[in-house]
Each structure stands twice: as C-alpha cells, then as structure tokens.
Amino acid sequence: MNLPKHWQDRMEAGRFPNAVLLIGEKRDEVSKELAAAYLCVGQHPPCHGCSHCRKVEAGIHPDLIRADTADAVKVDPIRALRTDAYIRPNEGDRKVYLLSAADLMNANAQNALLKLLEEGPEYACFFFLASNPERLLPTLRSRCETLRCENVGEETMEQMAQRNEFVTLLLQERQEKMPLLSLCVSLEKKSREELALFLDQSIEQLAAHLVQNPAGLFPKLEALRTVRAACEVNIGTGHLSGLLMASLL
Ligand SMILES: [Zn+2]
C-alpha cells in the first residue's frame, strides 16, 4: 500500500519526523512502507529497488527493530530498547523502532519512551501503531505526527464533478461568493479522509493553473493547504469546511 501523497512529498523533501503515530486499519502495511522510506537510499523513497528497501521488504533489515505487543507493554523491554537506541545504526542513517501495539503500553512504559524521544539520539525514529490511540498519553501523542492508514476509495463520478466545480469556481477572476459558499457547506458531509483526498486533488488541479494567474491563485492554494494540514488533526469536517470557507471568502 502506497504512502499518502503528502507523506510521499515530505519524504522526498527529506523530512522524517522522529515519532509517527499510525492509526487505521491499514497501519501494518503502511508502517512497512514508511520504514522502507526511512531507511531507503534511493532518490524517491521508498524506491523498492535499493538493498535497504529490499531488506525491509524481506523483514531482515538490522535497523528496523520491532518491539512486539506482549513484550513492549511492560517497562523493562522499553529499558532494553532505550539501551539499544544509543547504539548507532548498523547500515543506514536511521534506526526505526516499530511498536506494533503502542496503545497497550502502560503509563510507565510510555513515559520511558517519551523521555527517549526527548533526549535520545536523532537517528532513532519511533512508529507507534495503535488501534485505540486515545489510550496513549496526551504527552506522547503530542510528540507524534499522525499518519492515518485507511483505504480511501477512488473518487466517484459525483465526487469528481464536485471537485471540478470547486476548482472552476476558484479559477474565477471575480469570485462568485454564493456558489462557493454552498459548495463549502456541502463538504461538511464528507469524512475527514474524504475531505483530505478532495483537497489533495483540488490542490493538484489548481496548482496546474498557477502560472496563468499566480497573484490570484497563490492565496487560494495557501488556504487549501492550510485546511489540508488541519485534516491531520482531530477536528470535525464541519469545522474544517468552515475554516475553508473563512479562508477563501
Ligand atoms: Zn530504496
């Protein structure tokens, strides 16, 4: 399963957060892809061709360390992990620790990890996989960037028509307010994942017109990007579409 487009872009730009919280039903598959990206030496990580990508794929990369559920829940294995984290990577520039059921860790274990995140070496990266992220301490959650791992289906014809209408409205030199307003209101009905996809595709479509009218389109693109970034946070789509409306009108 591929990484979401904005994560892919981020990896290509060399931005690798030290702590990632992976939630959603596809988190196992996505964590493997993300680990490959973190360890890859190719130009477009994960390239799936370099020796690092292949070792991750085969489950034999020495710098990808899995701390599995049963062992990771107590504080002792976390202490062992702490010790290990101070040993430099074997082959790559980073070491990736994958905690497959992070939400089962008790508070002591979570605090030990938090301390490691704050004080540990920069090459150590942690993926927290959780089916119930609410069980993680807020202090730990706030240190993580969240990656939602869900199957977002292909756009339906109706969704595509809605996106085309949205982009057409944004391309107007003189913005018609009412149709844009009612379109923004209709976005409330989407789930956060659907809204994120809608914005990703609208941004791409709108950016293709940027050369024709940079001064007019740049602020609109920025507004879309801001709301897109906010989709990663736990905010309802009612608020997100309100934010979109306020930034566009
Ligand atoms: Zn690679």
Side-chain angles (χ1 to χ4, degrees):
M1 184 168 166
N2 292 336
L3 294 172
K5 170 88 173 65
H6 62 289
W7 273 80
Q8 195 84 52
D9 292 346
R10 176 187 294 204
M11 312 274 98
E12 295 205 9
R15 296 208 305 273
F16 296 87
N18 273 77
V20 184
L21 172 62
L22 294 102
I23 56 176
E25 58 194 39
K26 297 282 170 185
R27 60 187 182 280
D28 284 317
E29 284 166 72
V30 174
S31 69
K32 204 170 181 185
E33 191 75 2
L34 189 67
Y38 269 61
L39 298 166
C40 175
V41 293
Q43 224 174 8
H44 305 289
C47 71
H48 299 289
C50 73
S51 66
H52 293 271
C53 282
R54 288 203 302 268
K55 282 183 185 173
V56 170
E57 190 69 26
I60 54 166
H61 199 296
D63 296 320
L64 173 59
I65 299 108
R66 286 170 193 275
D68 281 323
T69 43
D71 291 337
V73 293
K74 300 193 195 84
V75 73
D76 279 351
I78 303 295
R79 291 221 174 97
L81 190 152
R82 269 181 75 89
T83 311
D84 185 80
Y86 283 95
I87 304 167
R88 290 202 60 83
N90 284 287
E91 295 187 4
D93 296 332
R94 297 189 182 86
K95 247 174 152 168
V96 175
Y97 293 91
L98 197 152
L99 290 101
S100 59
D103 44 347
L104 296 182
M105 290 189 294
N106 62 31
N108 285 340
Q110 292 191 41
N111 277 319
L113 270 169
L114 185 64
K115 207 157 180 263
L116 184 56
L117 268 174
E118 282 164 353
E119 299 166 4
E122 255 181 52
Y123 56 72
C125 302
F126 300 87
F127 297 172
F128 300 99
L129 277 65
S131 59
N132 190 357
E134 302 302 321
R135 291 177 61 174
L136 288 173
L137 298 175
T139 41
L140 184 60
R141 278 191 74 167
S142 69
R143 287 291 316 234
C144 297
E145 290 206 31
T146 302
L147 170 50
R148 307 181 69 85
C149 313
E150 267 131 13
N151 257 344
V152 179
E154 296 284 297
E155 265 187 322
T156 61
M157 292 297 277
E158 200 183 326
Q159 287 165 337
M160 199 188 294
Q162 186 188 31
R163 174 168 55 85
N164 285 331
E165 187 194 338
F166 181 59
V167 174
T168 308
L169 285 170
L170 292 178
L171 286 171
Q172 291 174 337
E173 298 232 353
R174 259 198 218 163
Q175 194 76 69
E176 273 185 274
K177 293 197 172 158
M178 282 319 285
L180 189 60
L181 194 72
S182 69
L183 203 146
C184 286
V185 170
S186 72
L187 296 176
E188 277 182 23
K189 295 192 201 96
K190 290 185 183 290
S191 70
R192 207 159 62 223
E193 289 73 29
E194 286 168 349
L195 182 63
L197 181 70
F198 174 86
L199 290 170
D200 277 340
Q201 291 172 326
S202 302
I203 290 168
E204 217 175 291
Q205 201 176 343
L206 196 63
H209 297 272
L210 196 58
V211 280
Q212 296 151 22
N213 177 15
L217 291 182
F218 192 74
K220 293 176 187 173
L221 268 172
E222 281 304 286
L224 260 51
R225 289 196 178 111
T226 306
V227 180
R228 174 60 185 89
C231 290
E232 296 301 309
V233 189
N234 195 7
I235 312 176
T237 48
H239 286 105
L240 291 167
S241 59
L243 176 64
L244 185 64
M245 224 181 294
S247 12
L248 287 174
L249 291 169

